[in-house]
Amino acid sequence: MSHRRDLRHGRRIGRAEFVRSVRGYTRDARRLLGLAVAVLFFGGQLVFALPAAYALGRSVRTAAAVPYLDPVATLLPVGLLALSTLRTMERLGGAEAEDLLLTTVQPRAVVIGLVVAEIGRLTLWFGLPIAALVVAFAAGLGAPTLPLTVGAVFLPLLACTAVCGYALGITGLRVLRRMPTLRRLLKAGAVVGVVGLFVLSQVAAHSVVEGDVSVATLLDRLSVPVLTDYLTLAFVGTPLAGGVPPAAVAVLVGLLAATPVGLAAAERSARALWFGDDDRGSAASATAAGTRGGFAPPRPFAWRPAGRIAWGHLLRAVRHPQEFSHLLMLVFLAGPALGSLVSGHDGGALASLLAGTGTAVGVYLAGATFGLNPLGDDRPQLPLLLLVETPPRTLLRGRTAAGLAVGLPVAVGLPLGTVALGTPPTVALGYAALGLVLAPAAAGLAVGLGCAYPIYEARELWGAETVAPSTLVLLGYSLVVLGGTSTWLVLVGAGLAAGVPSPLLLGGGGVLALLTGVPSVLSYRYARNRYRGYTL
């Protein structure tokens, strides 16, 4: 009776959480615009994928002839399990209104509700496109029962991976709570790991294009015959059916048996996390006691009020690196270039390209680290900041100085450091000087864009609340800064190669300087006026 009651309560909690998620996607114009962009992008992919799926259904004769069936059978459960684990560790460790909810129902019901809501979200985002492809394939194959059998195969897999992923994620949160040092190391290592994996993926893609690595060999290594047999159960009752392998039945029984086991493990870990001794307060107090004297800014930050504000931003970012989560956009923008650097150039060209990449990354960081959402970042202490005697220009200078403290060492130091790798000294000095000029321009542009479209809604990421800048602002800044910096790098490289710049090159440089400096100055003045508008 208790289990039946928990299932009933969990179903209601899951429905409420799922409805809240859907309402969150459509609660304002900004989110609707982002949702429309995502639908148009993936909908455009489906425009080409659906006819291809229909044609494949008309031509395929056996299940073994379905392309990429073996790697999909392996990557699908692994990807769903990893996604559920990461999403649990990111934001699903606790429930909404946790204190009230846990005094009303059993923790098992809360766990069931959160898992059910996550299954609904995964079905909404991934199930609908997959269903469209399956329907098109079934229409070409002439098998109207295929969508039903695919659903019967996919749902046990989805339920098992969602439950087990939640159990792994909630256990990971328990470990991170008890080991704060490991938590801090993982925060830093996660970004490095993502960058490394993305660069390796670009190197692998380059090797595949060049023919050094066979795609068929890679796909064969990813295949697990037992999982492929399970996936072929979806073809039962269709012209592609080849019998029911015993291994596939064993996998189905294993999925059905692992789901309640994972649910019990998730409930046990959730109880320990929600009701166990919370040592975060003592750890936080110990950290505060150990760093109480470390807030004093060193020179040169201590010389000016803006420098002391900049030191505060840097110190807060070190303690909460989640504030830099939006910088992962740079990984996807610069990853292809880094992959080409690693795999396709000789020593001298590689060093020069690395110097230019360092300048571009440093200029980007000068504005993207602290400038893309200044009002939103200051939301917790904004009333206090606007009531103190510190003028808005000092607040903005402190924020831009913090960004320059991060970006300038990369924009200037990395090009100079590549001299030891073979970069000509004149090229290294030219790129370093370019970074020294463009970094302040990027910082000024960033604060204006951030003040034009501030984001105040905080979300929990890896155990801490952070306010990420708007995606539109981030994309606009990335395109302008990276595009403009690339143009400057080409112009400076051409000027250094020519020795004596031609009048045409000088004229182009002058026009580009105006296009760089004027928007940056106007953007900075706009941000200062926005701050002043709150104090008048």
Side-chain angles (χ1 to χ4, degrees), residues 133-459:
L133 292 174
V134 169
V135 169
F137 181 80
L141 187 63
T145 61
L146 182 61
L148 299 178
T149 54
V150 168
V153 170
F154 182 72
L155 285 179
L157 179 63
L158 178 60
C160 182
T161 53
V163 170
C164 294
Y166 187 89
L168 291 175
I170 209 76
T171 304
L173 289 177
R174 287 182 60 196
V175 173
L176 293 179
R177 172 181 290 187
R178 294 184 177 274
M179 304 177 66
T181 302
L182 178 62
R183 181 170 64 244
R184 288 191 291 269
L185 290 176
L186 286 178
K187 288 177 182 178
V191 178
V192 177
V194 170
V195 174
L197 287 175
F198 195 78
V199 173
L200 289 177
S201 68
Q202 298 300 317
V203 175
H206 187 273
S207 300
V208 170
V209 172
E210 294 294 330
D212 299 332
V213 178
S214 173
V215 178
T217 303
L218 292 176
L219 295 180
D220 289 338
R221 292 180 179 178
L222 289 176
S223 63
V224 178
V226 175
L227 295 178
T228 303
D229 290 340
Y230 175 72
L231 210 60
T232 57
L233 289 178
F235 298 122
V236 172
T238 69
L240 303 182
V244 180
V249 178
V251 172
L252 178 60
V253 173
L255 292 175
L256 296 177
T259 300
V261 173
L263 184 62
E267 179 196 354
R268 185 172 182 177
S269 296
R271 282 180 181 271
L273 182 69
W274 293 335
F275 297 105
D277 294 333
D278 193 349
D279 56 353
R280 287 177 296 179
S282 58
S285 61
T287 302
T291 59
R292 190 171 298 156
F295 186 79
R299 290 180 289 183
F301 293 99
W303 291 345
R304 302 287 297 176
R308 293 191 286 271
I309 294 174
W311 178 251
H313 287 303
L314 293 171
L315 193 61
R316 186 178 67 181
V318 170
R319 293 176 177 175
H320 299 288
Q322 297 91 337
E323 295 184 2
F324 291 152
S325 61
H326 62 281
L327 295 181
L328 291 176
M329 174 71 71
L330 181 62
V331 176
F332 298 100
L333 294 175
L338 292 176
S340 299
L341 285 177
V342 174
S343 59
H345 297 88
D346 56 13
L350 176 62
S352 298
L353 288 172
L354 184 61
T357 302
T359 299
V361 170
V363 171
Y364 182 88
L365 293 177
T369 47
F370 299 100
L372 291 179
N373 192 27
L375 294 173
D377 289 340
D378 290 335
R379 176 187 57 85
Q381 61 272 6
L382 192 60
L384 178 62
L385 288 178
L386 298 178
L387 290 175
V388 297
E389 295 182 357
T390 303
R393 64 175 181 272
T394 304
L395 299 176
L396 285 175
R397 287 174 183 173
R399 184 170 287 277
T400 55
L404 292 175
V406 175
L408 279 179
V410 179
V412 177
L414 190 57
L416 296 178
T418 58
V419 174
L421 301 177
T423 302
T426 54
V427 175
L429 288 173
Y431 286 170
L434 182 63
L436 193 64
V437 173
L438 292 184
L445 177 67
V447 292
L449 290 176
C451 286
Y453 201 65
I455 299 297
Y456 300 101
E457 296 86 357
R459 65 186 183 95

Side-chain angles (χ1 to χ4, degrees), residues 98-122:
E98 180 179 297
D99 296 337
L100 176 62
L101 194 59
L102 292 175
T103 57
T104 306
V105 297
Q106 293 291 330
R108 184 190 300 115
V110 179
V111 171
I112 293 173
L114 293 177
V115 173
V116 168
E118 184 64 9
I119 291 176
R121 283 187 285 262
L122 291 175

